[in-house]
Amino acid sequence: MVVTLRSRGRTIAVLQDDAMRKCFAMGPLPLRIFPAEAEGIYLNVTAPHPMLFVLLRCDEGEAWPTPRHVTVSQNEAARWMDGGEWVESCPLPSPLWDPLRVFALAHYRPERKRRVRRNDPLGILKRSTDEEMGATNDRLARLGKTQTSGARK
């Protein structure tokens, strides 16, 4: 049984309506992707099971929630959920995999790992091996200081 309804200018086809579940098809809903979301798209399309994320809302007067937005970015879907929105996921249709992978690889640049800088501009406190300890003592001696194991004189 297929029943066609209208909601917010979209056609909703109720495919199944029984005590266990209600299935409906709704369309069209645009899928927009942006370079700023490349990281979330990359994480999704490289996952074992890529997903399509749908934001649902149930406004006053509506019998059931209706899809409002669709994304393939895991980061965007996580932001929606953090904001208290209702987000459902479904498997990403396979015809979208390749174009989304190409997009993600073209736009995603991993963040460079930054080196942790110690507050030691001369590098005289570095002590990891006996050889380096000797070099540290030489540097300290040039500065007019001496270092012994554990205490300064």
Side-chain angles (χ1 to χ4, degrees):
M1 172 179 95
V2 175
V3 178
T4 303
L5 306 169
R6 299 280 298 166
S7 174
R8 294 186 173 266
R10 295 189 183 106
T11 302
I12 302 172
V14 180
L15 306 174
Q16 181 180 357
D17 189 3
D18 57 31
M20 295 298 288
R21 72 175 107 186
K22 180 178 279 196
C23 292
F24 57 94
M26 180 177 184
L29 204 56
L31 173 63
R32 295 184 181 115
I33 56 175
F34 301 97
E37 288 297 327
E39 180 185 12
I41 295 168
Y42 176 82
L43 292 171
N44 190 15
V45 297
T46 57
H49 304 288
M51 304 300 279
L52 187 66
F53 303 99
V54 183
L55 181 132
L56 300 166
R57 286 196 184 132
C58 189
D59 292 335
E60 290 182 33
E62 291 184 351
W64 58 80
T66 55
R68 300 299 167 87
H69 301 283
V70 178
T71 188
V72 289
S73 169
Q74 288 184 348
N75 295 349
E76 186 173 16
R79 284 193 300 272
W80 289 344
M81 289 186 280
D82 290 344
E85 296 288 355
W86 181 358
V87 178
E88 295 290 337
S89 62
C90 62
L92 183 67
S94 56
L96 293 178
W97 289 7
D98 288 334
L100 289 171
R101 277 193 186 115
V102 168
F103 176 86
L105 292 173
H107 295 285
Y108 174 57
R109 298 289 174 256
E111 260 187 50
R112 289 185 179 176
K113 292 185 179 179
R114 296 182 180 179
R115 263 181 92 177
V116 177
R117 293 182 139 188
R118 292 191 255 173
N119 191 10
D120 185 16
L122 300 177
I124 60 176
L125 300 178
K126 183 179 177 186
R127 299 180 211 151
S128 63
T129 65
D130 291 337
E131 190 175 310
E132 289 177 348
M133 187 63 146
T136 300
N137 285 335
D138 292 343
R139 278 187 237 134
L140 288 171
R142 276 186 251 134
L143 293 172
K145 301 175 182 176
T146 59
Q147 179 182 11
T148 61
S149 60
R152 287 189 185 181
K153 288 185 177 181

